[in-house]
Amino acid sequence: MSQSQIQWFPGHMTKALRMMQENISLVDLVVEILDARCPISTRNPEIQKLAQNKSRLVLLNKADLADINKNEEWESVFKAEGATCAVMSAKNPSCKKEILALIQEACKEKIERDKRKGIKNRPIRVMVTGIPNVGKSTVINLLAGRASAKTGNKPGVTKGKQWIKLSQNIELLDTPGVLWPRFDDALIGEHLALIGSVNDTLLNMDELAISFLKQMDSDYPGVVESRYGFTEEDLRSDVGMQEILCIEENKRYVAILRQIAFKRNALVKAGEPDVSKAAKLIIDDFRAARLGKISLESANKQ
């Protein structure tokens, strides 16, 4: 998929970064929510610049959809950077206790400094960041809960910014805004499209599915064939492929989409396979982990 096919809105990023710059001095900890299936694509390098003097907690969310082995690799990578890191699924209510404990762990130096200065019971202040569809809102809602009381505006805080008390000694800065990653790589665009961080109506789903099938061939060979019940012989014997005009290197993947359509009875007139419907089907199956636990990025390939 060409980079030009995915449209970005730098105004959103500018607004969110400005908000962070205005409030970063008020927080002790920056929490980065990343999608465990593609941590690099869902990461904003500007966060590291803004939070360079702050403690950082990286939460690899949606780990239940990702390759377990690659989750462990990524956790090691972020810990090596000096960040506290954990793999998790924010849809699991039991994660709340774990995250609160990780916040304490990430800020233990700050807590010790306060003790040495004789400062007691000063709350840890936290800012949560994340691009659309990585689960930022789910994490915030999990931590805040319906019963959590807002502590009101603090001195020096821009009007409208609210602090939410998560526990006796942890407060969350409730800040609106959308934070997009810097987009300078077409592959990042593809990964974000695959996980649903880009509106599907902006995408060429056929091309996105072909790109995904290429990666599956490379990283998870045989998984697609097993899921939809076709063989290499089925691809070679598809006489309809002789009439398809497409880029030579993509013929195999068009043939796969045709087989998926045949197997799922996604047909148009004259019994021909509906390739576009098959493309949407396989992307939906990836997003729902019906193809298994799949990661789009590997730490050892970076």
Side-chain angles (χ1 to χ4, degrees), residues 29 31 57 84 98-108 111 124 126 143 166 170:
L29 174 70
V31 178
L57 169 59
T84 303
E98 178 186 1
I99 296 172
L100 292 176
L102 287 169
I103 289 173
Q104 294 276 5
E105 178 186 338
C107 292
K108 58 186 177 182
I111 295 171
I124 298 168
V126 180
L143 293 176
L166 303 182
I170 301 176

Side-chain angles (χ1 to χ4, degrees), residues 52-298:
Q52 59 184 340
N53 297 319
K54 303 290 179 179
S55 298
R56 285 191 304 122
L57 169 59
V58 176
L59 297 179
L60 297 173
N61 192 29
K62 303 191 180 183
D64 55 318
L65 306 178
D67 187 320
I68 295 174
N69 293 327
K70 292 182 180 179
N71 285 346
E72 293 175 353
E73 292 173 6
W74 282 115
E75 185 175 12
S76 297
V77 166
F78 290 114
K79 285 182 176 178
E81 288 183 359
T84 303
C85 180
V87 296
M88 56 167 286
S89 172
K91 290 184 178 180
N92 184 347
S94 66
C95 285
K96 178 176 180 177
K97 185 176 181 180
E98 178 186 1
I99 296 172
L100 292 176
L102 287 169
I103 289 173
Q104 294 276 5
E105 178 186 338
C107 292
K108 58 186 177 182
E109 289 185 9
K110 178 261 182 193
I111 295 171
E112 288 301 319
R113 282 197 307 271
D114 283 353
K115 285 183 180 179
R116 289 195 296 270
K117 294 177 181 178
I119 301 172
K120 297 180 179 180
N121 302 320
R122 186 170 75 176
I124 298 168
R125 293 177 180 172
V126 180
M127 177 186 289
V128 180
T129 66
I131 71 167
N133 213 39
V134 296
K136 175 186 170 187
S137 296
T138 305
V139 170
I140 290 175
N141 291 338
L142 173 68
L143 293 176
R146 293 182 179 179
S148 295
K150 292 188 176 182
T151 61
N153 292 328
K154 299 287 183 180
V157 182
T158 304
K159 186 176 181 181
K161 303 294 188 298
Q162 295 285 342
W163 293 91
I164 301 174
K165 193 169 186 177
L166 303 182
S167 70
Q168 192 62 33
N169 57 352
I170 301 176
E171 294 180 356
L172 170 70
L173 180 59
D174 183 15
T175 53
V178 177
L179 189 61
W180 289 92
R182 186 179 65 203
F183 180 64
D184 52 12
D185 185 336
L187 188 60
I188 289 177
E190 290 177 7
H191 289 169
L192 294 179
L194 283 167
I195 65 170
S197 289
V198 181
N199 192 316
D200 285 352
T201 60
L202 301 175
L203 306 171
N204 183 320
M205 299 294 275
D206 293 6
E207 291 189 9
L208 182 62
I210 286 173
S211 294
F212 175 66
L213 287 169
K214 289 179 181 179
Q215 183 162 354
M216 290 296 289
D217 250 2
S218 172
D219 296 347
Y220 298 93
V223 168
V224 173
E225 291 88 337
S226 176
R227 165 69 182 170
Y228 299 105
F230 64 87
T231 65
E232 289 294 323
E233 180 57 34
D234 292 326
L235 299 180
R236 289 192 293 270
S237 62
D238 182 0
V239 294
M241 281 300 298
Q242 298 170 8
E243 301 173 6
I244 292 180
L245 298 177
C246 62
I247 300 173
E248 183 67 29
E249 66 175 303
N250 289 340
K251 275 193 174 183
R252 168 179 169 75
Y253 304 104
V254 174
I256 290 175
L257 290 176
R258 285 170 61 85
Q259 286 300 316
I260 293 172
F262 280 132
K263 297 298 183 180
R264 291 296 185 265
N265 201 32
L267 307 175
V268 292
K269 61 182 180 179
E272 273 295 293
D274 188 336
V275 171
S276 292
K277 193 168 184 179
K280 186 177 186 305
L281 176 64
I282 193 170
I283 291 170
D284 287 345
D285 281 352
F286 159 71
R287 290 172 178 171
R290 287 188 286 267
L291 292 170
K293 297 180 184 296
I294 303 293
S295 290
L296 299 172
E297 295 172 350
S298 176

